[in-house]
Amino acid sequence: FPGNTTFLRRQVFYLIDAGLHQEAADLGRTYLALAEPKAADYAAIGTALRQSKSYDEALRFLERAHLQFPNDGAVAKALAQTWLERGDTLAAAEILARQAERETELLPEAAELFRRAGQGVRALALNARVPDQSKKLKQRVGLLVQMRRYEQVAGMEDALYRVGLYGDEDVRYALAYSHFKGGNFEAAEKHLQALTRPELFRKATELRRLMQDCADSRWTCA
């Protein structure tokens, strides 16, 4: 049955399942040229090309698919991942942000990509729409620390406590550091005392040393 492309499609997916990404990509080109592919076909073959490091070719497949199936989440996510692995974090962020308008669970990932791309304001705007309060506030702490908005982090203390994030030692260290930067060493120490993880305990020791230095020579921390 030479006109039945179902067999060819099945071969492509067998190769993908076997981890033979380059072979799957080669056969996938043939399949896409002969058949009327679905969005899932483009996403799978584009992913196979990405995994075989053929980024430019994967992008050609996936950008075409994104135009043809603009609302398909699998295509959008495959395209964003390809841009990310190719080294264009901002392009990946833009694509994922558009898809997050339809899939709100993607908002934290889109915000994180904007953060990595150096677009802090846009990351904060997306973060503000994250429905999960705990996830939103923890991510917001990281964004504000990166942007050196320490007063805003310190001002989140009550909100972080209400959603149960005082049990997260990374959050407690971020609060301690933010209070330190604001000169409130007593509040910083309160959070440092909650740290038990070895790497954070070492950071706490160093922060205490800095606070002592500041207490001894206030002008050095101005």
Side-chain angles (χ1 to χ4, degrees):
F1 304 96
N4 189 338
T5 57
T6 302
F7 302 115
L8 188 59
R9 181 180 186 276
R10 187 169 296 177
Q11 280 183 283
V12 172
F13 282 89
Y14 281 153
L15 289 168
I16 292 171
D17 289 341
L20 301 171
H21 302 299
Q22 188 57 58
E23 292 84 349
D26 292 341
L27 194 59
R29 295 185 195 93
T30 302
Y31 168 70
L32 291 176
L34 295 174
E36 294 182 7
K38 301 174 183 178
D41 298 331
Y42 277 106
I45 294 168
T47 297
L49 284 163
R50 171 179 61 78
Q51 291 173 333
S52 68
K53 311 298 183 187
S54 301
Y55 296 120
D56 290 339
E57 195 162 1
L59 288 171
R60 281 195 292 273
F61 274 110
L62 292 169
E63 290 285 7
R64 176 182 165 190
H66 196 46
L67 289 172
Q68 191 172 346
F69 307 100
N71 298 328
D72 188 87
V75 170
K77 285 177 269 192
L79 180 57
Q81 184 65 33
T82 303
W83 277 117
L84 182 64
E85 291 189 19
R86 192 175 180 270
D88 195 330
T89 307
L90 184 56
E94 296 282 5
I95 292 160
L96 209 60
R98 288 197 295 271
Q99 189 59 31
E101 295 297 326
R102 290 176 284 271
E103 300 179 47
T104 56
E105 63 271 20
L106 295 177
L107 285 167
E109 288 80 2
E112 169 62 14
L113 288 178
F114 277 119
R115 182 196 69 79
R116 290 168 60 180
Q119 301 282 325
V121 174
R122 295 186 71 182
L124 282 173
L126 287 173
N127 167 265
R129 296 168 53 203
V130 173
D132 184 315
Q133 287 299 301
S134 179
K135 186 177 290 187
K136 174 169 73 175
L137 290 176
K138 181 174 181 179
Q139 184 179 57
R140 196 168 192 82
V141 167
L143 291 171
L144 292 172
V145 167
Q146 181 172 323
M147 298 169 76
R148 300 184 180 182
R149 298 187 184 181
Y150 302 116
E151 288 185 9
Q152 288 179 255
V153 176
M156 293 174 63
E157 214 170 302
D158 289 344
L160 293 167
Y161 179 78
R162 282 196 302 272
V163 298
L165 281 171
Y166 266 33
D168 188 310
E169 292 195 17
D170 291 312
V171 170
R172 296 298 290 273
Y173 180 77
L175 283 168
Y177 188 79
S178 297
H179 282 302
F180 161 71
K181 296 297 286 186
N184 189 344
F185 297 166
E186 184 178 346
E189 178 60 33
K190 178 186 74 174
H191 293 293
L192 291 177
Q193 288 175 2
L195 304 180
T196 59
R197 273 173 34 208
E199 69 274 19
L200 289 179
F201 192 84
R202 286 192 293 271
K203 286 185 177 182
T205 301
E206 177 62 17
L207 198 56
R208 286 190 178 100
R209 185 190 65 77
L210 291 174
M211 288 193 291
Q212 184 60 51
D213 290 346
C214 288
D216 295 340
S217 304
R218 199 73 189 177
W219 61 271
T220 62
C221 300

